[in-house]
Amino acid sequence: GAMPNSRALGWGFSFSGREYFGAKKHWFRWMASYGHGWGSQIVATIGTQASAIVTPEGTLETMPAWNLGGGFAFRLSNTLVTNINSNWYSIDPSEYKEGYDMKAGLSGHANLIWSPLKSLNTGVEFMMVQRTNVNDTQGTGRRLQFMVKYLF
């Protein structure tokens, strides 16, 4: 049910950057974040209850979350770029979290993006994700995805 006046403060810090190399032709991407009560802001946990949970006493308990990521992009030509990225995320779950709620994960992405026109990108990506739940069960997912993106 609804809990009137239930509040909890969520906060977080996120740092990211891009370091160019090879005459600014290629780059390394990095990211690190940490927060308490903001786990649902990490891309892998959007739509989950990773920020806070209602305790049996009816209060909101926030949970700490971490996220680290990095990757390389290589410009193969003026119209072709490939990316290899990995991300790790973890939530220190409340004792009240359900066993099949997410606790941690790791993802890897490899893609190829072709830009035949300045305003059009197309690409293909292979993605692999491993998830660990609160009860320490794990699963791995693999996906091949395609995209077409028009840039305004």
Side-chain angles (χ1 to χ4, degrees):
M3 295 178 1
N5 300 319
S6 296
R7 299 174 196 265
L9 177 65
W11 57 270
F13 295 99
S14 184
F15 302 95
S16 61
R18 183 185 277 195
E19 308 299 327
Y20 290 91
F21 61 95
K24 293 194 174 188
K25 186 176 177 183
H26 315 295
W27 62 88
F28 171 71
R29 173 197 68 85
W30 58 272
M31 185 190 122
S33 60
Y34 173 78
H36 212 282
W38 84 311
S40 62
Q41 302 304 306
I42 297 171
V43 171
T45 60
I46 289 176
T48 68
Q49 296 174 339
S51 293
I53 191 165
V54 179
T55 67
E57 295 80 34
T59 60
L60 288 174
E61 178 184 331
T62 61
M63 295 169 283
W66 303 261
N67 186 26
L68 297 171
F72 289 95
F74 300 98
R75 183 167 301 283
L76 305 175
S77 73
N78 287 339
T79 60
L80 201 58
V81 175
T82 187
N83 293 275
I84 300 168
N85 296 287
S86 182
N87 290 286
W88 170 83
Y89 45 91
S90 179
I91 300 162
D92 187 7
S94 164
E95 64 181 291
Y96 305 112
K97 290 291 277 181
E98 298 287 327
Y100 289 103
D101 287 341
M102 184 169 43
K103 174 171 75 172
L106 179 68
S107 67
H109 309 257
N111 64 39
L112 185 63
I113 300 171
W114 179 50
S115 303
L117 305 170
K118 187 174 181 172
S119 59
L120 182 68
N121 290 342
T122 63
V124 60
E125 177 177 74
F126 177 73
M127 177 177 154
M128 191 164 94
V129 178
Q130 183 180 49
R131 172 181 164 150
T132 302
N133 295 324
V134 172
N135 64 8
D136 290 324
T137 57
Q138 292 185 332
T140 301
R142 293 168 190 82
R143 179 167 63 189
L144 185 63
Q145 47 194 21
F146 301 91
M147 74 97 179
V148 175
K149 180 179 174 182
Y150 180 77
L151 305 167
F152 293 83

